[in-house]
Amino acid sequence: MLKTSSVGRVQRLLSVLCLVVLATFLGATAAHAEGPIADTYEFDGQLGPDGILKATETITFGDAAPDRLTQRLALRAPIDDTRSFVYEITGVQATIGGAAADAEVTEDGDYLVVALDTSDAGNQPITISYEVSGATRSDQGATGELTIFSWRALQGLSVEVAEVSGTIRVGAVVELIDCLAGPPGAVVKCELYAAGTHDAPLPTFKSFERGIGEQVTITVGVAGSAVAATDVVHEDWSLNRAFAITPLTILTALGALLLGALALYLLHRRTGVDASHDGEFAPVATFRPVGDGESVFEIHDGVRPGHVGTVADERVDPVDVTATLLDLAVRGHLLITELPHDQHGLLDWKLSRTETGGDELAAFETQILDAIAPIGGETLVSTLPATLSPVIGNIQSALYDDVVQRGWFESRPDSTRNNWRRIGIIGVVAAAVAAGLLIVFTQFGFLGLVLVLLALALLWVADRMPRRTKKGAKLVSGLGALSSLLTTHPTDNMPSGRELPEISRLLPYAVVLGGKGRWLEAMVRADDDATPDPTDISWYHAPETWHLRDLPASLTQFIHTVQGELFAR
């Protein structure tokens, strides 16, 4: 019983397998018979010395041809991930049974589509002919330079073909031949291909049972002198291509970077570096001895605090205007009055014009005074933005003009900066355009990035292009010495009884150059009683309960408030 049962199962299994095989065969037969099949596809190619291929395809059907026949001829063939051969196909013509037929020729992306109405063709032969440029390229063979011809003799046909055959007529000795057939991306060797033999003096090939859209590619090599190369290689864009790492691209980028950096350095050295001087400098200010252990602060050549900041950093900053306000007050042209305020209220100050100052005013100082405190007028620090906004540009311009007239700069620092900034901006735009073109159309993307980097460096250098004269360079050296003097000179050797006015004279310079805190503390130490001191300082008045010990906090807040208001204007 067990043996009989086993035999039955085997018989049933064989029956199922037979049914599967039969169904597969019938399905394949049905699928194969879905449309007309071309009996033969004959390719005749004539390759001239100019490298132009003249191709003629002859298609025959044992039964009736399909109602419509199409063929997709590739206009490109990939070389690798970034490059493709580009073909030019012209002169497309067709015949049916020897009579001219209307061929509908269109482009569909990377393909030239040839469509024919073959509903009345029956079993008459159908031909499609065309010319191809770009199918030949130069290569190095074992015996010398070769011209390699490669073309898909069969491609993109809308019907199956039982037999594909062809001949390439070329007037030169064939040194190599190859033939591949099959679906795109899965090709194998053709069943037959030969050249230079008794039976096949010309390159011939043959393949069987090619499906819809399958290919047969024939490759022939001849002496380079016999046939010209016509290949055109298109570079497909990609980041890897745009920023290709090759000796040429890297050396070009590095060379441009080094040369550009050198050019910027030389440009700055020639145009932006201060004029050289003999290394000596005239003191901007000194502490002149007036007695045993006593000295007074003296400024030379009329250098004002506004000049100091402008020459030092080549621009007019809020601290320069603030120091100028203090200096005008110390010199008797302005009175700063601290207004009464609640314990938790904000400090504010009144700025009033005075006539006790007898020295000559610079143009920028006159403009500041006229703006904030015209004769007989006054203003509050809290309203400085509205007061100064209409004239701050004129004040800055006057101060720039003043430092040029005094011979510290060859031209106005702001104009020099603006001119070079314009050049820098133009350079950045031009470099960005050049970088875009290099990245899109070439492999020199790194060179484009270097150009943008150099243009940005030029824009950065623009703020460092104002050039001081020899006199200006000497002044900067002197300012360095003055800064050191203000931060190291003893604060307790001012003439007794005159500490407040004498320290007041140097205070605006200490605001710009440093050391302000130590000199304010020295003014506090000059207070020898416990009574309030609201008017002990001629240029700074305060509420009735104010003491000199309050001066560091009051003046620090005044400086910060004025600068904040100027920044916020």
Side-chain angles (χ1 to χ4, degrees):
M1 284 295 291
L2 292 175
K3 182 175 182 181
T4 304
S5 177
S6 299
V7 171
R9 283 197 298 269
V10 171
Q11 289 175 340
R12 285 194 296 273
L13 179 59
L14 290 175
S15 299
V16 171
L17 290 176
C18 289
L19 288 174
V20 171
V21 172
L22 180 61
T24 303
F25 173 77
L26 292 176
T29 304
H32 204 271
E34 284 181 357
I37 301 175
D39 285 357
T40 61
Y41 177 98
E42 297 181 7
F43 182 87
D44 179 70
Q46 181 176 351
L47 186 61
D50 57 1
I52 304 299
L53 170 69
K54 295 181 179 179
T56 301
E57 306 167 351
T58 303
I59 307 164
T60 60
F61 292 87
D63 298 323
D67 291 339
R68 187 175 178 83
L69 182 68
T70 61
Q71 185 173 28
R72 296 170 63 84
L73 302 174
L75 297 173
R76 286 192 182 193
I79 302 173
D80 51 36
D81 292 340
T82 62
R83 297 179 302 156
S84 301
F85 287 121
V86 178
Y87 306 119
E88 182 181 3
I89 301 176
T90 58
V92 178
Q93 295 179 347
T95 65
I96 298 177
D102 291 332
E104 180 183 337
V105 182
T106 58
E107 283 195 25
D108 180 15
D110 291 336
Y111 294 89
L112 188 74
V113 181
V114 181
L116 293 173
D117 181 0
T118 54
S119 57
D120 297 328
N123 58 3
Q124 299 180 86
I126 301 169
T127 67
I128 299 174
S129 61
Y130 52 86
E131 293 186 1
V132 181
S133 175
T136 57
R137 68 181 187 276
S138 295
D139 199 359
Q140 192 66 34
T143 60
E145 185 175 354
L146 296 178
T147 295
I148 305 298
F149 161 77
S150 184
W151 182 245
R152 298 169 183 170
L154 171 69
Q155 57 176 313
L157 201 62
S158 60
V159 297
E160 298 179 48
V161 181
E163 179 182 307
V164 178
S165 61
T167 301
I168 305 297
R169 292 181 285 120
V170 57
V173 176
V174 176
E175 299 191 23
L176 67 85
I177 183 171
D178 193 14
C179 183
L180 299 173
V187 294
V188 295
K189 294 292 186 179
C190 297
E191 288 83 348
L192 173 67
Y193 57 95
T197 66
H198 177 75
D199 295 331
L202 296 176
T204 59
F205 59 92
K206 186 172 290 189
S207 184
F208 301 97
E209 296 183 357
R210 300 273 62 95
I212 295 174
E214 291 194 13
Q215 302 172 354
V216 174
T217 302
I218 181 67
T219 301
V220 175
V222 299
S225 59
V227 177
T230 61
D231 58 317
V232 176
V233 177
H234 176 77
E235 294 281 348
D236 300 316
W237 189 89
S238 69
L239 280 176
N240 289 337
R241 181 195 69 87
F243 295 95
I245 300 178
T246 67
L248 179 60
T249 58
I250 297 302
L251 288 176
T252 302
L254 288 177
L257 180 62
L258 293 176
L259 290 176
L262 178 62
L264 284 175
Y265 172 76
L266 294 177
L267 177 66
H268 183 253
R269 288 281 302 174
R270 181 175 181 273
T271 308
V273 174
D274 294 345
S276 60
H277 60 90
D278 54 13
E280 297 181 358
F281 63 89
V284 176
T286 55
F287 284 91
R288 180 174 60 85
V290 293
D292 187 16
E294 296 181 342
S295 61
V296 295
F297 181 78
E298 286 189 349
I299 195 75
H300 302 304
D301 298 328
V303 178
R304 299 301 179 197
H307 296 145
V308 170
T310 303
V311 175
D313 63 8
E314 303 171 344
R315 63 186 69 242
V316 179
D317 296 321
V319 67
D320 302 327
V321 178
T322 304
T324 298
L325 287 176
L326 288 177
D327 188 50
L328 289 171
V330 171
R331 288 157 54 196
H333 299 281
L334 191 67
L335 175 62
I336 302 171
T337 303
E338 181 181 322
L339 300 178
H341 62 284
D342 297 333
Q343 182 179 359
H344 302 292
L346 295 175
L347 279 178
D348 202 355
W349 297 263
K350 180 176 64 176
L351 305 176
S352 307
R353 184 79 166 260
T354 62
E355 297 298 330
T356 58
D359 59 345
E360 184 178 355
L361 294 172
F364 72 92
E365 294 175 325
T366 300
Q367 291 188 21
I368 291 176
L369 279 176
D370 290 342
I372 64 174
I375 296 176
E378 58 187 32
T379 190
L380 298 178
V381 168
S382 58
T383 64
L384 277 180
T387 303
L388 286 179
S389 288
V391 297
I392 191 65
N394 295 334
I395 294 171
Q396 291 173 320
S397 181
L399 187 46
Y400 283 129
D401 286 338
D402 201 39
V403 296
V404 173
Q405 291 170 4
R406 287 173 176 265
W408 294 325
F409 288 92
E410 296 176 345
S411 60
R412 288 177 45 142
D414 60 330
S415 298
T416 302
R417 276 192 299 272
N418 291 337
N419 290 337
W420 281 104
R421 281 174 184 166
R422 281 192 288 269
I423 295 173
I425 291 172
I426 293 173
V428 169
V429 173
V433 172
L437 294 175
L438 289 171
I439 291 172
V440 171
F441 296 108
T442 74
Q443 298 179 335
F444 293 89
F446 287 114
L447 175 60
L449 294 183
V450 166
L451 295 178
V452 172
L453 180 63
L454 291 173
L456 291 173
L458 176 60
L459 191 59
W460 178 78
V461 168
D463 284 344
R464 292 149 183 81
M465 292 306 275
R467 176 183 173 90
R468 301 182 189 89
T469 61
K470 291 182 179 181
K471 184 177 179 181
K474 283 188 175 183
L475 177 61
V476 170
S477 299
L479 293 177
L482 176 57
S483 176
S484 177
L485 192 63
L486 291 173
T487 55
T488 59
H489 188 80
T491 60
D492 57 357
N493 64 355
M494 293 295 175
S496 179
R498 293 167 49 196
E499 293 92 347
L500 296 181
E502 291 299 336
I503 294 176
S504 294
R505 295 176 61 194
L506 64 83
L507 201 56
Y509 297 90
V511 169
V512 179
L513 296 174
K516 167 176 65 71
R518 62 195 300 268
W519 292 105
L520 287 175
E521 291 297 330
M523 295 180 74
V524 171
R525 289 195 298 270
D527 186 10
D528 55 3
D529 57 48
T531 59
D533 312 297
T535 58
D536 279 17
I537 302 175
S538 62
W539 54 273
Y540 191 96
H541 289 178
E544 293 297 328
T545 58
W546 188 87
H547 292 263
L548 270 177
R549 65 175 176 269
D550 299 319
L551 178 62
S554 292
L555 199 60
T556 299
Q557 289 187 63
F558 173 81
I559 294 169
H560 289 168
T561 302
V562 172
Q563 291 187 111
E565 296 291 354
L566 291 175
F567 272 118
R569 67 179 179 83

